[in-house]
Amino acid sequence: MSDAVSRSAFLGSARSIPPFMDKKRILASVVVFLILAFLVYLQYRHWRAFDWHTFWSQTNRIKKWHVLHGILLIYFGYVLRAIRWKIFLKPVRPKASVAELVSSTLVGFTGIALLGRAGEFIRPYLIARRTDLPFSSQLAVWAVERIFDIGAFAVLMAIAIFLPSALQSIPHPEYYLRFRGAGFILIGLVAATAVAAILIGKNGEAAACWVESRFSHLSSNIGHKLGQKVREFGMGLNTIHGPTSFLMLTIVSVGMWYMIALAYHEVTHSYGADSLEIPVSQLLILIFASMLGSMLQLPAVGGGSQIATITTLSSVFDVPPEMAASCGILLWLVTFAAVIPSGLLLAHREQLSLRKLSVESHRAEDDSHGSAA
């Protein structure tokens, strides 16, 4: 890919970014970098005998066909995300194009990969613009989509917990009780969220007002923002038009997360090592660790996801340090960074600047909150 493509799609107009946003991002990035540097130091201090020659030799021995399969599965997951959004749009835009939604999805996830949290609203912003719908309505869909993600992953975790010879057969069975406890907490969280969704769906405005009054003693601004989040969530629930729609959304969501698990399976099996012959049901542990680690991410670099994955591979599955490090990095590249080339190409073709989209989407979010005040 040419430098011109990267510059036009990624850099955009630097003058459109408010100085305070740059300062906030720089400060956040510095804090995350220091935390990650400390975690890396602790990790490699623990692995004092880490052999870089072994690391590179094992990385060079991977079966590239498996890696390609993993990338294709991840891209199929993006298609399923677009199909799920089309189901959400059916009541208001029944003729929405899946191709346009796939394009918005790829560009949006590229924005997250390159800009971090600053790019999280690019996808709903693009979809709103292309479907001629209010941005607030697509923020609502985005909020409900998160619930389906958590719920679908919880379904797979529940199957792994209760399925005989699934999580119980991990190399360190003593971890099973911890994972089962974490799984029950996740299932309980999903159940509580479902109850909250039912209450908000029945009387969203009353729920929003209660949240605003409950947290206004901390800050009126915080109370208002939380209340607005509840209103957005309630608006998003209105896109679920009946039991059939709910069932379809659930099936697509579970299928998407299963595709991600299969992608992990392809990557781990690409090394041809016994220690990485991990069943799909046990790889959910690895995905969960990666999700938790992604809370500490540097834009375009990652960090937290790789560290969490590497640590889990080494501690839970007894993968040698060099192979764990190589596999953790490759998993991040396949599941998180592989979208970047296609996203940048699409952004360049459509003359989009990720930075400008990031600024515009955050400004639109602020405007939607302000108009609701």
Side-chain angles (χ1 to χ4, degrees):
M1 186 180 300
S2 68
D3 291 339
V5 172
S6 300
R7 280 196 297 269
S8 62
F10 175 49
L11 295 178
S13 174
R15 288 176 298 188
S16 63
I17 304 174
F20 74 90
M21 289 185 67
D22 273 346
K23 290 178 181 178
K24 281 186 176 180
R25 290 176 189 171
I26 291 171
L27 179 60
S29 296
V30 169
V31 172
V32 171
F33 174 78
L34 292 175
I35 295 173
L36 291 175
F38 179 67
L39 292 175
V40 170
Y41 168 74
L42 291 179
Q43 186 68 68
Y44 285 97
R45 186 182 177 187
H46 177 65
W47 292 347
R48 292 188 178 183
F50 190 88
D51 187 343
W52 284 102
H53 176 73
T54 302
F55 169 83
W56 289 114
S57 65
Q58 290 175 342
T59 301
N60 290 331
R61 286 207 320 262
I62 61 172
K63 299 171 185 176
K64 297 177 177 58
W65 189 245
H66 280 285
V67 177
L68 179 60
H69 278 175
I71 293 173
L72 291 176
L73 286 166
I74 290 297
Y75 270 83
F76 184 53
Y78 289 130
V79 173
L80 290 177
R81 282 189 180 275
I83 292 173
R84 183 172 64 180
W85 206 293
K86 179 176 173 59
I87 297 172
F88 280 122
L89 289 176
K90 189 175 180 180
V92 290
R93 292 292 185 273
K95 295 183 180 180
S97 167
V98 173
E100 282 193 352
L101 292 173
V102 169
S103 173
S104 300
T105 299
L106 295 177
V107 173
F109 275 94
T110 298
I112 294 173
L114 292 175
L115 301 174
R117 297 295 179 190
E120 63 184 355
F121 294 142
I122 289 177
R123 182 163 55 113
Y125 179 75
L126 272 178
I127 293 173
R129 200 164 74 174
R130 289 170 174 175
T131 57
D132 195 26
L133 288 168
F135 178 54
S136 59
S137 70
Q138 300 314 290
L139 270 183
V141 172
W142 179 81
V144 175
E145 185 193 50
R146 303 278 72 74
I147 304 303
F148 275 93
D149 279 340
I150 297 172
F153 186 77
V155 168
L156 294 176
M157 280 296 295
I159 294 172
I161 288 171
F162 296 109
L163 191 68
S165 72
L167 295 187
Q168 296 97 318
S169 61
I170 59 177
H172 289 278
E174 65 271 17
Y175 282 112
Y176 172 68
L177 292 177
R178 301 181 190 176
F179 295 134
R180 187 178 65 178
F184 284 143
I185 292 173
L186 181 62
I187 293 169
L189 176 64
V190 171
T193 303
V195 172
I198 292 172
L199 295 175
I200 293 172
K202 288 184 176 179
N203 201 337
E205 184 58 32
C209 291
W210 180 86
V211 169
E212 285 181 346
S213 62
R214 181 67 180 80
F215 293 94
S216 60
H217 69 283
L218 298 176
S219 167
S220 58
N221 189 41
I222 291 177
H224 170 68
K225 284 189 175 182
L226 291 175
Q228 183 60 19
K229 294 294 183 184
V230 172
R231 291 186 182 91
E232 288 174 357
F233 183 65
M235 189 189 305
L237 292 173
N238 293 331
T239 62
I240 305 174
H241 44 100
T244 301
S245 174
F246 179 81
L247 180 61
M248 290 175 63
L249 289 167
T250 301
I251 292 172
V252 172
S253 299
V254 172
M256 183 196 73
W257 279 100
Y258 188 66
M259 290 300 107
I260 294 172
L262 289 179
Y264 270 70
H265 187 262
E266 288 292 333
V267 173
T268 54
H269 281 59
S270 69
Y271 287 83
D274 291 341
S275 58
L276 284 173
E277 294 292 320
I278 305 172
V280 173
S281 58
Q282 296 180 13
L283 285 171
L284 294 173
I285 298 172
L286 210 56
I287 298 174
F288 188 59
S290 176
M291 290 166 61
L292 292 178
S294 65
M295 296 173 68
L296 284 174
Q297 292 284 97
L298 289 172
V301 176
S305 177
Q306 297 96 307
I307 292 174
T309 302
I310 292 167
T311 302
T312 304
L313 284 170
S314 177
S315 302
V316 177
F317 296 103
D318 284 340
V319 179
E322 297 83 6
M323 189 176 294
S326 174
C327 187
I329 294 170
L330 184 58
L331 280 169
W332 177 78
L333 289 172
V334 169
T335 61
F336 189 75
V339 70
I340 294 175
S342 60
L344 286 179
L345 282 172
L346 285 169
H348 177 68
R349 189 186 71 179
E350 299 171 24
Q351 298 182 338
L352 300 172
S353 162
L354 296 183
R355 281 193 175 274
K356 289 176 69 175
L357 286 172
S358 172
V359 172
E360 290 170 5
S361 64
H362 281 271
R363 185 179 295 135
E365 189 215 13
D366 291 339
D367 290 344
S368 67
H369 287 175
S371 62

